[in-house]
Amino acid sequence: MSKEEKKVNRRDFLFTASYTVGAVGVGAVIWPMIDQMNPDKAQQALATTEVDISNIEPGKSITVLWRGKPVFLKRRTPEEIAEARAVNMDDLPDPQKDEDRVKEGKDEWLVMLGVCTHLGCVPLKDKGDFNGWFCPCHGSHYDVSGRIRKGPAPTNMEIPKFEFVDSNTIKIG
Amino acid sequence: MSEHEYTPKSKAGKWFNDRLPLLTLGAHLTDYPTPKNLNYWWTFGGILTFCLITQIVTGIVLAMHYVAHADLAFASVEHIMRDVNYGWLIRYIHSNGASMFFLAVYIHIFRSLFYGSYKSPREVIWIIGLMIYLLMMAAAFMGYVLPWGQMSFWGATVITNLFSAIPLVGDSITTWLWGAYSVDNPTLNRFFSLHYLIPFLILGLVVLHIWALHVPGNNNPVGIDIKKPSKDTVPFHPYITIKDAFALLVFMIIFAGFVFFTPNVLGHSDNYIPANPLVTPAHIVPEWYLLPFYAILRSVPDKLGGVILMFSAIFILFVLPWLDTSKVRSAVFRPIYRQFFWILVIDVLMLGYVGAMPAEGIYLVLARVGTIYYFLHFIVVMPVVGYLEKTDPIPMSISEPVLTGGAEPSLARKINDKV
Amino acid sequence: MIKSNIKLLVLSFLLLISLKPLQSAEMVDPIKVEWSFKGLTGTFDRASLQRGFQVYKEVCASCHSMQYLSYRNLGEPGGPEFSEIEVKAIAASFEIEDGPDDQGEMFTRPGKPSDKFKNPYPNVKAAIAANGGAYPPDMSVLVKARKGGANYIYSVLVGYEDPPPGVTLDDGVYYNKYMIGNKIKMPNNLSDGLVEYSDGTESTVDQMAKDVTTFLAWAAEPELEERHRTGVKVIIYLILLTILVYLSMKKIWSRIDSEI
């Protein structure tokens, strides 16, 4: 390697190093500017809601607010549960057993995010072709287990993380 | 400016450039012939651009979380500091950034004063620069009001009351500024709106400032006109960009020192007390960068007189290019003016210092002496010294002094003999 | 020439600064404490923060609010770092007003970590009325809101004295060596053995004052540890990049210098 070439190499190395280290710094500065738009610590702390379910009659449902979105809590009758479980999996666009959508031993309680998986509207209860929910925005039909049956929505209504604190209280989140 | 026509290499580039000559502009900025003897005092233009962009970006971010309401502003700032992801970092960059911005602008202005960069043919650059400086002061003042602490509230009260000194309509103007019968929620709201607007006005003026600079080209430490491009110039990129980058990094180290280790040292502790219209803090002071003007205001025992003098202290700078009668630009070749220049620097620092002290006793005396010298410097010293001073010989070219590391007049004369 | 002028400039400015002591003749400088959170890499003393919270809760909280803090903050990194269970227990020990419920009524419930610190008074006017006309300041950012910061707060807490002869005090006003103006409406609330520290530390007035001041310093600047840590990294990074850019600059400019 000639002296000339060595000189060029050192120069190249210096410039590459400067650019690389500089780019790392720019990246490190950009991240806080992006992350500041994510939910802040106060928002994150509000991520759980406790609901009293002692007053809900069989066949009735309530809607509560969790993280700014509606959550449907429905106490289903034995007939409704039977209906949901009798469905042939082949009829479902997004096949999922009703058993997988409720807590074992608490089969009557359906807890799901009341948000249509199409574009985020809130479906109406006891409407539609399948005794479940019907989204008025673009005509998605959900059954009594909250599964999509007809319409543009791609998936079943989402089940949030929840647990039974005691027999009368559900903690969502 | 380089006269050669730039033609993009690619066909698409040519197609675009024929319709909007952005590539020509880019080539102009890259090749822009710059005097090669610019010293580090010339890097503050780039540093100031960085400051402006930093303030705009962090400001837009803060506005996403800030609430401009008298009852909620203070709490929303605390929300930013405690809960918003990296909120503390962004707010401290913004609040300390204002101080760093002014630090850089003062160096930039005094550099111009020393090397005569305000003189023909660069008067318009100077005047646009002063307009930027005025808008910076307005933006900084309104920004300081937004956290709605005690200093915010009382600073706003004192500054808006300056306008009440205007005869006949003063009180109406003050009430109009407030939108209420005191500094109150409407005032806070409009200040927020204007605080968001002004930086973009500054950005527009910065474009004009640079445009106006690129017509005659940069002044330089020797202060002579140079042929462009020539042996005395270098292309802006990479020579000046790398030098600016180095200076900017050193500046950023100081900036980071403030942000991470003493983020509140340039502020005032009273501004962490929520605004209270019933209690005035014992000792009201503006931010450090406004202190010299505050000292001038307080040095006059008359309300209207003080206000007029304070505004005059700024507006006198607008006519500076015509007050300076010297034919030589750079103070390097002006032995007498150079002494007065440093006296002015000391004078302004002293005014800043006494501005932070109570307006009584020795401080009042110093403020008055300082104010008198400030005006004498521009009204008397500059025209008179310009006429009487015997300046040192000026070199014809900057090539030789650069080689020897300084603009030594004796060496310069040797070059002249050679030429 | 320029260099000698700059020297002159710096000298005259230093002279000017040295005039400063003239202004504050009546104020006593606060006691200087070697806080663990001072300096470039300063961090809070966790045990002291936890004890300080206890002092706040048992002594200060009956009059002073801390409205910008939430119970969850007590468990966050860089703070007292109580465990999640402890934070829940602390929060639950306060009755927090919530509502309105489905009947439109306000009700109280045990606190949750996401709740803000409970305010001892419903509003500022109630606080003033209950304290002889003086508002016990909110302590969330108190350390940042006082000149002298932590040193000043600590000094006031230990600065109660009998008034010097010639100073008369109204009812409900106390003499304090370090308080601005020397008159304070807060009585001396600390006495040896006032709280019982669970970690066995002896609760002297000095110890409690230090602990609660540490706690208040954290409350005012909960980001302090992260700030120091990030700051050290940022400065090291910047110095590294500055060196690289400096060498690049020398390289680039050497082209010009060798031309001539």
Side-chain angles (χ1 to χ4, degrees):
Chain A
M1 201 186 268
S2 73
K3 220 177 175 186
E4 240 352 66
E5 275 174 337
K6 250 185 206 161
K7 216 175 161 187
V8 169
N9 277 347
R10 197 180 147 214
R11 177 183 291 174
D12 285 349
F13 167 76
L14 256 179
F15 296 163
T16 312
S18 303
Y19 276 125
T20 313
V21 175
V24 169
V26 171
V29 168
I30 287 174
W31 171 243
M33 300 297 157
I34 294 169
D35 191 38
Q36 53 88 16
M37 281 170 73
N38 278 321
D40 60 50
K41 284 191 224 154
Q43 290 288 333
Q44 289 165 18
L46 291 174
T48 61
T49 302
E50 289 189 4
V51 188
D52 179 9
I53 51 170
S54 57
N55 293 327
I56 305 173
E57 300 293 331
K60 298 287 174 202
S61 70
I62 62 164
T63 306
V64 297
L65 203 64
W66 174 66
R67 283 185 173 177
K69 287 180 192 160
V71 171
F72 297 151
L73 291 96
K74 185 174 170 80
R75 184 172 182 181
R76 302 182 297 178
T77 60
E79 297 80 48
E80 285 171 328
I81 296 170
E83 184 192 330
R85 296 196 172 175
V87 175
N88 185 345
M89 284 296 130
D90 294 340
D91 295 343
L92 297 173
D94 178 19
Q96 192 180 20
K97 284 186 183 163
D98 181 65
E99 288 87 335
D100 296 338
R101 293 176 60 79
V102 293
K103 290 265 187 271
E104 209 180 334
K106 298 274 188 184
D107 294 5
E108 59 178 356
W109 292 104
L110 179 66
V111 178
M112 67 183 178
L113 220 49
V115 176
C116 178
T117 56
H118 181 219
L119 290 170
C121 297
V122 179
L124 304 167
K125 65 177 174 181
D126 305 328
K127 286 253 164 61
D129 301 348
F130 299 90
N131 291 329
W133 287 266
F134 170 70
C135 181
C137 290
H138 306 97
S140 292
H141 299 258
Y142 295 89
D143 67 13
V144 76
S145 186
R147 293 173 295 198
I148 180 66
R149 300 298 290 272
K150 201 168 109 184
T155 56
N156 305 331
M157 278 194 269
E158 196 187 328
I159 308 293
K161 189 176 160 239
F162 73 96
E163 60 186 77
F164 287 85
V165 178
D166 54 52
S167 56
N168 286 330
T169 316
I170 287 178
K171 186 175 121 184
I172 308 170
Chain B
M1 260 186 277
S2 56
E3 296 304 321
H4 70 91
E5 269 304 308
Y6 169 80
T7 6
K9 284 193 190 85
S10 73
K11 226 175 169 187
K14 193 170 178 317
W15 180 89
F16 182 79
N17 204 50
D18 287 345
R19 282 148 184 84
L20 182 65
L22 273 186
L23 296 170
T24 303
L25 178 67
H28 162 72
L29 292 176
T30 312
D31 301 337
Y32 173 66
T34 317
K36 67 177 175 186
N37 62 335
L38 296 188
N39 56 33
Y40 283 107
W41 300 112
W42 258 268
T43 58
F44 282 86
I47 288 171
L48 284 162
T49 313
F50 163 81
C51 287
L52 178 62
I53 291 167
T54 305
Q55 291 304 88
I56 289 180
V57 170
T58 53
I60 289 171
V61 166
L62 289 172
M64 293 181 188
H65 305 280
Y66 171 77
V67 183
H69 188 284
D71 295 341
L72 302 169
F74 192 89
S76 75
V77 172
E78 279 308 308
H79 167 67
I80 290 169
M81 293 297 291
R82 288 162 196 277
D83 290 337
V84 173
N85 304 319
Y86 297 102
W88 61 267
L89 175 62
I90 294 160
R91 176 175 174 244
Y92 278 154
I93 291 176
H94 196 72
S95 61
N96 285 287
S99 282
M100 300 311 288
F101 205 156
F102 274 95
L103 176 69
V105 93
Y106 281 125
I107 294 173
H108 196 62
I109 290 172
F110 275 103
R111 190 268 291 154
S112 182
L113 285 175
F114 187 85
Y115 293 108
S117 302
Y118 51 87
K119 287 155 81 145
S120 173
R122 298 185 179 83
E123 301 94 324
V124 173
I125 313 174
W126 171 253
I127 287 168
I128 293 172
L130 287 173
M131 287 161 72
I132 293 172
Y133 174 52
L134 275 178
L135 283 178
M136 276 173 66
M137 287 200 278
F141 159 65
M142 290 182 194
Y144 197 54
V145 174
L146 302 183
W148 210 239
Q150 274 288 68
M151 277 293 160
S152 301
F153 184 88
W154 291 101
T157 302
V158 168
I159 299 295
T160 49
N161 265 312
L162 291 178
F163 293 92
S164 71
I166 302 167
L168 300 174
V169 292
D171 283 335
S172 313
I173 289 179
T174 318
T175 311
W176 174 76
L177 285 172
W178 289 337
Y181 297 98
S182 66
V183 173
D184 209 335
N185 193 48
T187 326
L188 177 60
N189 261 298
R190 62 193 58 182
F191 277 20
F192 179 53
S193 171
L194 294 172
H195 182 72
Y196 208 121
L197 167 71
I198 290 171
F200 296 97
L201 299 181
I202 293 177
L203 190 63
L205 284 174
V206 165
V207 172
L208 294 183
H209 193 63
I210 295 172
W211 186 0
L213 170 70
H214 280 228
V215 175
N218 287 71
N219 184 25
N220 65 78
V222 183
I224 54 169
D225 290 323
I226 49 171
K227 260 192 263 158
K228 291 158 294 204
S230 72
K231 249 191 139 182
D232 286 348
T233 66
V234 290
F236 191 77
H237 183 76
Y239 295 97
I240 304 299
T241 41
I242 190 78
K243 196 167 178 174
D244 278 358
F246 169 66
L248 174 62
L249 282 164
V250 174
F251 182 82
M252 281 168 81
I253 292 173
I254 300 165
F255 193 164
F258 277 111
V259 167
F260 291 104
F261 300 111
T262 52
N264 292 305
V265 77
L266 296 169
H268 197 292
S269 51
D270 278 357
N271 221 29
Y272 281 104
I273 303 171
N276 182 354
L278 299 175
V279 184
T280 306
H283 188 184
I284 297 191
V285 280
E287 293 282 81
W288 67 267
Y289 38 81
L290 302 175
L291 286 172
F293 299 107
Y294 193 56
I296 292 174
L297 170 77
R298 294 193 307 180
S299 70
V300 184
D302 176 68
K303 184 173 173 179
L304 182 59
V307 174
I308 289 175
L309 212 60
M310 186 182 73
F311 282 109
S312 309
I314 301 166
F315 285 107
I316 199 166
L317 296 173
F318 280 86
V319 292
L320 185 61
W322 297 277
L323 286 173
D324 184 353
T325 53
S326 176
K327 298 231 172 350
V328 175
R329 286 200 195 98
S330 173
V332 171
F333 304 104
R334 301 183 61 190
I336 311 291
Y337 169 73
R338 196 162 58 213
Q339 307 300 327
F340 282 107
F341 170 83
W342 289 111
I343 294 173
L344 179 73
V345 172
I346 294 167
D347 184 58
V348 171
L349 287 176
M350 183 191 76
L351 280 173
Y353 176 72
V354 297
M357 295 291 124
E360 58 199 26
I362 179 79
Y363 299 117
L364 198 54
V365 177
L366 285 174
R368 287 181 179 158
V369 172
T371 304
I372 291 167
Y373 179 74
Y374 182 89
F375 285 98
L376 278 182
H377 181 91
F378 293 111
I379 296 170
V380 178
V381 172
M382 294 206 77
V384 172
V385 170
Y387 271 121
L388 302 180
E389 187 177 38
K390 187 180 175 322
T391 55
D392 293 336
I394 299 163
M396 297 273 287
S397 138
I398 55 180
S399 294
E400 201 66 9
V402 166
L403 194 68
T404 53
E408 278 297 321
S410 55
L411 272 169
R413 208 173 317 155
K414 270 186 219 155
I415 310 158
N416 287 356
D417 294 346
K418 266 191 225 164
V419 172
Chain C
M1 184 53 98
I2 294 177
K3 268 185 189 142
S4 70
N5 272 315
I6 290 177
K7 239 180 245 169
L8 181 78
L9 186 91
V10 171
L11 272 180
S12 53
F13 195 65
L14 286 179
L15 188 77
L16 205 64
I17 299 279
S18 64
L19 289 171
K20 204 172 180 177
L22 284 175
Q23 53 144 355
S24 47
E26 51 188 280
M27 240 188 81
V28 185
D29 277 340
I31 305 163
K32 285 205 170 82
V33 182
E34 279 307 310
W35 303 105
S36 68
F37 49 86
K38 273 186 12 180
L40 300 190
T41 53
T43 52
F44 292 111
D45 175 351
R46 303 276 163 249
S48 182
L49 280 179
Q50 297 199 354
R51 292 194 299 268
F53 172 68
Q54 188 184 348
V55 176
Y56 163 72
K57 190 180 155 192
E58 292 177 20
V59 184
C60 320
S62 55
C63 297
H64 289 277
S65 61
M66 287 187 94
Q67 56 179 325
Y68 301 119
L69 273 83
S70 303
Y71 296 113
R72 67 185 157 83
N73 295 140
L74 296 169
E76 284 168 2
E81 295 186 2
F82 285 107
S83 69
E84 199 185 328
I85 297 162
E86 286 171 315
V87 171
K88 278 189 176 158
I90 290 167
S93 68
F94 294 91
E95 285 293 308
I96 303 290
E97 191 180 46
D98 199 352
D101 62 13
D102 295 342
Q103 273 69 49
E105 307 287 334
M106 299 304 278
F107 60 95
T108 59
R109 55 162 175 80
K112 293 189 278 197
S114 60
D115 287 321
K116 296 270 185 209
F117 274 25
K118 190 181 179 177
N119 203 320
Y121 302 104
N123 52 57
V124 171
K125 286 204 169 165
I128 293 173
N131 287 283
Y135 170 59
D138 183 87
M139 299 207 298
S140 315
V141 282
L142 196 67
V143 170
K144 284 202 282 192
R146 294 292 179 275
K147 214 178 154 205
N151 284 340
Y152 173 77
I153 304 288
Y154 166 78
S155 301
V156 167
L157 287 175
V158 298
Y160 286 89
E161 293 185 339
D162 289 332
V167 176
T168 48
L169 298 170
D170 295 336
D171 259 3
V173 178
Y174 306 87
Y175 187 84
N176 191 303
K177 194 174 156 191
Y178 298 101
M179 181 80 182
I180 299 161
N182 297 129
K183 288 177 184 172
I184 184 167
K185 285 206 165 184
M186 177 174 79
N188 184 2
N189 286 316
L190 295 178
S191 56
D192 287 336
L194 182 68
V195 301
E196 198 175 320
Y197 284 141
S198 57
D199 64 0
T201 308
E202 199 187 338
S203 58
T204 59
V205 168
D206 187 67
Q207 185 65 44
M208 287 187 289
K210 275 189 180 138
D211 289 342
V212 81
T213 304
T214 305
F215 174 71
L216 292 178
W218 164 76
E221 298 191 286
E223 86 295 344
L224 180 135
E225 290 191 7
E226 193 191 351
R227 176 155 59 74
H228 284 176
R229 250 184 290 122
T230 317
V232 170
K233 281 185 218 153
V234 167
I235 301 256
I236 290 173
Y237 165 82
L238 283 175
I239 289 173
L240 180 75
L241 184 59
T242 305
I243 292 169
L244 280 174
V245 168
Y246 177 77
L247 293 175
S248 303
M249 179 176 77
K250 285 283 149 201
K251 257 302 179 256
I252 289 174
W253 276 86
S254 68
R255 297 175 201 167
I256 291 290
D257 296 339
S258 59
E259 257 173 39
I260 306 163

